[in-house]
Amino acid sequence: MSTSESKAKMYARSLLAHRSTAEGGIVDEQGLYTLTDDLNMMRCDTPEYIDFVKNFVATHADSPASSQPTVKIARKFCETWPLPKKATTALDTIRVAVMDSSFNPPHYCHGAFMECLGVMDLRSEDKRLANIGAAHSLEIDAYLLLLASQNADKPLQGASLSQRMRMVDMLATTVAVDSSSDTWHLWKNRKQFLATNLHNMAIGMVNTPRFVDKLQAVRDVVCQEYGNSEATPKVLCYFAMGWDTITRFFDAKYYGPEFPAEIDQFFAEGGRIAYARRLGFLDSDVEEFFAAPRMAPYLPFIYELELPKRVKHISSTGVRLAILESSHNVRDIPPRILQYANSNQLYREE
């Protein structure tokens, strides 16, 4: 047995020792986790994305054409994406859950956003604040993890874009393919997993930092991939956001003289927001924000996700610091991503 295999087994055993079925964790049919499952979770057999990233940046980020908001799909985990496999006829409306991030690195909270959108029954903010109406499923058809080639506030540091793209692939594998094993999943069994359409996942890159522009790019690529020239579906895009991101979305400094007309257009053209409260932000600030009169027209298009307690604390900054301090004692990212970060010496400098 090689040294790397030995370390992998030791780490898998340590994971098993910490496993718990609390808060919706699942086990196999015999009620046991297996060492094989955990070793499979550590594999880094994802594609390389060096050429994909290089071509995307050259064509859509560093060229005159970069002013056109563009999404390029790097990989589809379901060949029918954006249509779910169970769809037997064309859809009039396609509902897409979008997780857009710098993914430096991807972690379980990113995955939890996607699973919350698929599993939870939700109420829009106007109904939540008025305490009326019943929660319901958003009936998401497809999921999309998007790596942004640029960020409105953050310079590129840490992992390169191609490294991040490969880690996004690993996160998508954890969400869309690992239908057993890890206790972080929100769904309870295989039947519920399939009902969420989480297997209908794609990953890609986007060349614009603003959500109002990302909406246009996502709608365009969904219609292109849909491939039905006779009927163009209506596309609803549910963008997953942390609380800090949703406040930036409504901040006038990210818009020109068109503010707030661009926000109005975002929601009119199918943009939706699914946000989650994060640690460090007061509930009173959240309620005050949504109670402002200027927010009233947008509340029917905004939904609150209740992230599981076990992931609420997770941030990419925290994960990077954890890897810096202890490269193996990191529980907030999938093992395959941790293995990749370690093997490439990522996040070893502050």
Side-chain angles (χ1 to χ4, degrees), residues 180-346:
S180 61
S181 300
D182 211 336
T183 59
W184 76 276
H185 288 301
L186 274 72
W187 42 267
K188 303 296 193 299
N189 51 54
R190 176 75 175 175
K191 181 178 180 181
Q192 188 181 21
F193 168 76
L194 293 174
T196 64
N197 290 324
L198 279 162
H199 57 283
N200 193 25
M201 178 80 67
I203 63 174
M205 289 188 70
V206 61
N207 67 339
T208 179
R210 301 194 315 163
F211 285 95
V212 293
D213 301 319
K214 290 173 184 176
L215 171 65
Q216 175 188 336
V218 172
R219 290 172 66 239
D220 288 347
V221 79
V222 167
C223 290
Q224 291 167 11
E225 294 289 339
Y226 181 72
N228 188 337
S229 59
E230 298 181 0
T232 300
K234 179 180 180 181
V235 180
L236 298 180
C237 296
Y238 294 83
F239 286 92
M241 301 183 187
W243 180 247
D244 52 341
T245 303
I246 193 174
T247 55
R248 289 198 300 270
F249 176 86
F250 287 100
D251 192 329
K253 77 176 185 179
Y254 296 103
Y255 304 90
E258 300 296 319
F259 180 84
E262 286 181 301
I263 291 179
D264 297 338
Q265 185 177 4
F266 172 86
F267 291 112
E269 294 185 352
R272 303 291 184 266
I273 292 175
Y275 79 94
R277 307 183 192 208
R278 303 295 297 276
L279 296 179
F281 296 94
L282 298 176
D283 287 344
S284 58
D285 291 340
V286 176
E287 302 305 326
E288 181 181 353
F289 180 84
F290 285 123
R294 73 183 183 97
M295 293 300 298
Y298 311 124
L299 297 182
F301 311 112
I302 301 173
Y303 299 82
E304 180 178 5
L305 304 176
E306 182 60 38
L307 291 174
K309 291 181 179 179
R310 60 187 178 275
V311 302
K312 277 188 175 182
H313 69 283
I314 302 176
S315 69
S316 291
T317 300
V319 170
R320 292 195 301 271
L321 289 174
I323 293 175
L324 176 65
E325 294 172 359
S326 176
S327 60
H328 290 286
N329 189 26
V330 181
R331 306 295 179 188
D332 294 337
I333 59 176
R336 54 170 59 93
I337 296 179
L338 177 60
Q339 182 194 39
Y340 180 78
N342 287 338
S343 64
N344 287 272
Q345 299 292 301
L346 297 178

Side-chain angles (χ1 to χ4, degrees), residues 77-90:
F77 287 76
C78 178
E79 66 271 15
T80 60
W81 191 96
L83 286 175
K85 282 186 176 180
K86 64 186 180 184
T88 56
T89 59

Side-chain angles (χ1 to χ4, degrees), residues 4-313:
S4 61
E5 289 175 335
S6 177
K7 288 183 177 179
K9 287 192 174 182
M10 289 176 62
Y11 185 63
R13 290 192 182 98
S14 72
L15 285 173
L16 289 173
H18 287 81
R19 287 291 161 87
S20 167
T21 57
E23 296 188 88
I26 62 167
V27 295
D28 63 16
E29 293 180 356
Q30 287 73 40
L32 298 171
Y33 294 101
T34 67
L35 183 59
T36 301
D37 286 337
D38 286 289
L39 291 175
N40 286 338
M41 290 167 61
M42 294 190 67
R43 290 177 181 167
C44 292
D45 54 356
T46 54
E48 293 281 358
Y49 288 99
I50 296 173
D51 290 340
F52 172 82
V53 171
K54 184 185 298 184
N55 292 336
F56 181 85
V57 171
T59 306
H60 302 290
D62 293 339
S63 73
S66 62
S67 59
Q68 175 66 30
T70 302
V71 166
K72 286 294 183 183
I73 300 299
R75 184 181 181 187
K76 296 190 289 186
F77 287 76
C78 178
E79 66 271 15
T80 60
W81 191 96
L83 286 175
K85 282 186 176 180
K86 64 186 180 184
T88 56
T89 59
L91 300 179
D92 295 329
T93 301
I94 297 180
R95 296 170 175 83
V96 185
V98 183
M99 179 81 245
D100 165 86
S101 177
S102 56
F103 293 113
N104 190 31
H107 48 66
Y108 280 131
C109 194
H110 289 132
F113 267 104
M114 292 287 93
E115 295 208 356
C116 283
L117 279 163
V119 171
M120 289 185 172
D121 290 335
L122 304 171
R123 285 191 300 179
S124 56
E125 278 298 296
D126 58 331
K127 293 180 179 178
R128 183 187 71 82
L129 293 174
N131 196 26
I132 59 174
H136 61 89
S137 169
L138 296 181
E139 299 182 344
I140 299 296
D141 299 299
Y143 299 79
L144 178 60
L145 297 178
L146 278 182
L147 172 64
S149 62
Q150 55 179 309
N151 188 291
D153 295 305
K154 303 174 184 177
L156 182 66
Q157 295 178 335
S160 69
L161 287 175
S162 59
Q163 289 171 325
R164 296 185 197 191
M165 196 71 239
R166 193 169 183 192
M167 290 189 286
V168 170
D169 187 294
M170 295 174 192
L171 176 66
T173 299
T174 303
V175 176
V177 180
D178 288 347
S179 57
S180 61
S181 300
D182 211 336
T183 59
W184 76 276
H185 288 301
L186 274 72
W187 42 267
K188 303 296 193 299
N189 51 54
R190 176 75 175 175
K191 181 178 180 181
Q192 188 181 21
F193 168 76
L194 293 174
T196 64
N197 290 324
L198 279 162
H199 57 283
N200 193 25
M201 178 80 67
I203 63 174
M205 289 188 70
V206 61
N207 67 339
T208 179
R210 301 194 315 163
F211 285 95
V212 293
D213 301 319
K214 290 173 184 176
L215 171 65
Q216 175 188 336
V218 172
R219 290 172 66 239
D220 288 347
V221 79
V222 167
C223 290
Q224 291 167 11
E225 294 289 339
Y226 181 72
N228 188 337
S229 59
E230 298 181 0
T232 300
K234 179 180 180 181
V235 180
L236 298 180
C237 296
Y238 294 83
F239 286 92
M241 301 183 187
W243 180 247
D244 52 341
T245 303
I246 193 174
T247 55
R248 289 198 300 270
F249 176 86
F250 287 100
D251 192 329
K253 77 176 185 179
Y254 296 103
Y255 304 90
E258 300 296 319
F259 180 84
E262 286 181 301
I263 291 179
D264 297 338
Q265 185 177 4
F266 172 86
F267 291 112
E269 294 185 352
R272 303 291 184 266
I273 292 175
Y275 79 94
R277 307 183 192 208
R278 303 295 297 276
L279 296 179
F281 296 94
L282 298 176
D283 287 344
S284 58
D285 291 340
V286 176
E287 302 305 326
E288 181 181 353
F289 180 84
F290 285 123
R294 73 183 183 97
M295 293 300 298
Y298 311 124
L299 297 182
F301 311 112
I302 301 173
Y303 299 82
E304 180 178 5
L305 304 176
E306 182 60 38
L307 291 174
K309 291 181 179 179
R310 60 187 178 275
V311 302
K312 277 188 175 182
H313 69 283

